[in-house]
Amino acid sequence: MADQVDQPKKKKREEALPERLMRRVLESMGEVVDRKFGRTIAPKGGLTTSQLIDRMKKLIDDRVRDEGSSGRIAPHFLKLKVEWGTHSEAPTEIIKDLETEVLAAAIDHINDHRYRTLAPVKIETEVDIFTSGITVDPTFGEFEEKLRREDEEKRAQHLPAPPKGAPKIPDVGVIARVTMSNGTSEAQLVFKPGGRRLNVGRATDNELALHDTSVSKIHATLLMNQQGTLLVADTGSTNGTFINGRRISYGEARQIADGDVVGFGDVEVRFRRSE
């Protein structure tokens, strides 16, 4: 009987937490957070903490590894990705409250389903230029690369034919036509949609190296999302990143459309897909 009485109280507390966090953020920062805090601080229909946690639980279930007699292994490292601007504007206690709530929910979910983990469950918040709002990405942390190699070896041994399901997304070749004061040249870039980012800068180890004094060592970053849209973000350059002459803000990810001229300092670059 006591449990039945406690359940509504617990549910009320869980549902009140997102509202409490939202109210405290709004009181502290006003409308700017309403726009930037993951576009989640909305009185109606916005993404609440409970919805964020539900999505995280689904991702944990989707990424669980069935190791046979060793049991089911769940990801243990949670990346709480926060849109640029949100983290720097939100009070520290708001982020810490959110981390605590998400971590506790993940541990409960893993224990309830009797999953195993390769290490203690932990959470880390990172500011991500290309994240809209707030997301939770469950990973295997330091074991991710090792597990990926093991999976590739198993597929090579036992799955000579392509696996059923969605076809593999091919890499996309992009030609960067670079115009500097000393002339024009072209560079070939290869993007994996939804994959890693390519850096732009003066240093030679950048994927797009621009040897010009107006360009910072690591000037900007490029990303192709899963839909095949090319994005650029300035990573704190001295002389700025521009699209058609208009400077983009530090940390702001912007789409590069066909025909756009992207300026990195005094260097102009046009991007087009390889034939």
Side-chain angles (χ1 to χ4, degrees), residues 54-65 74-75 109 113 115 138:
D54 286 343
R55 293 183 184 184
M56 175 196 66
K57 290 178 180 178
K58 185 177 186 304
L59 286 173
I60 289 175
D61 292 338
D62 289 344
R63 296 176 186 178
V64 163
R65 299 171 60 87
H109 185 72
H113 288 74
Y115 295 147

Side-chain angles (χ1 to χ4, degrees), residues 3 19 21 40 50 58 78 88 98 116-117 135 161 176 181 192 195 214 240 250 254 256 269:
D3 289 343
E19 296 174 3
L21 293 178
T40 66
S50 58
K58 185 177 186 304
L78 309 174
S88 58
L98 187 59
R116 292 179 55 241
T117 59
T135 64
S181 57
K192 186 178 291 295
S214 69
Y250 169 39
R254 290 284 300 275
I256 302 173
V269 182

Side-chain angles (χ1 to χ4, degrees), residues 26-38:
L26 286 172
E27 288 173 350
S28 301
M29 291 169 286
E31 294 181 356
V32 67
V33 178
D34 193 23
R35 295 193 305 271
K36 287 191 174 181
F37 195 54

Side-chain angles (χ1 to χ4, degrees), residues 214-267:
S214 69
V215 178
S216 299
K217 289 183 178 179
I218 302 178
H219 193 105
T221 186
L222 300 165
L223 172 76
M224 183 170 287
N225 64 20
Q226 292 182 339
Q227 291 72 43
T229 300
L230 187 59
L231 304 170
V232 63
D234 188 277
T235 53
S237 68
T238 300
N239 295 312
T241 300
F242 305 80
I243 296 182
N244 299 326
R246 185 171 184 177
R247 186 166 185 167
I248 65 176
S249 302
Y250 169 39
E252 177 187 7
R254 290 284 300 275
Q255 177 180 344
I256 302 173
D258 290 343
D260 281 348
V261 177
V262 183
F264 302 102
D266 296 334
V267 178

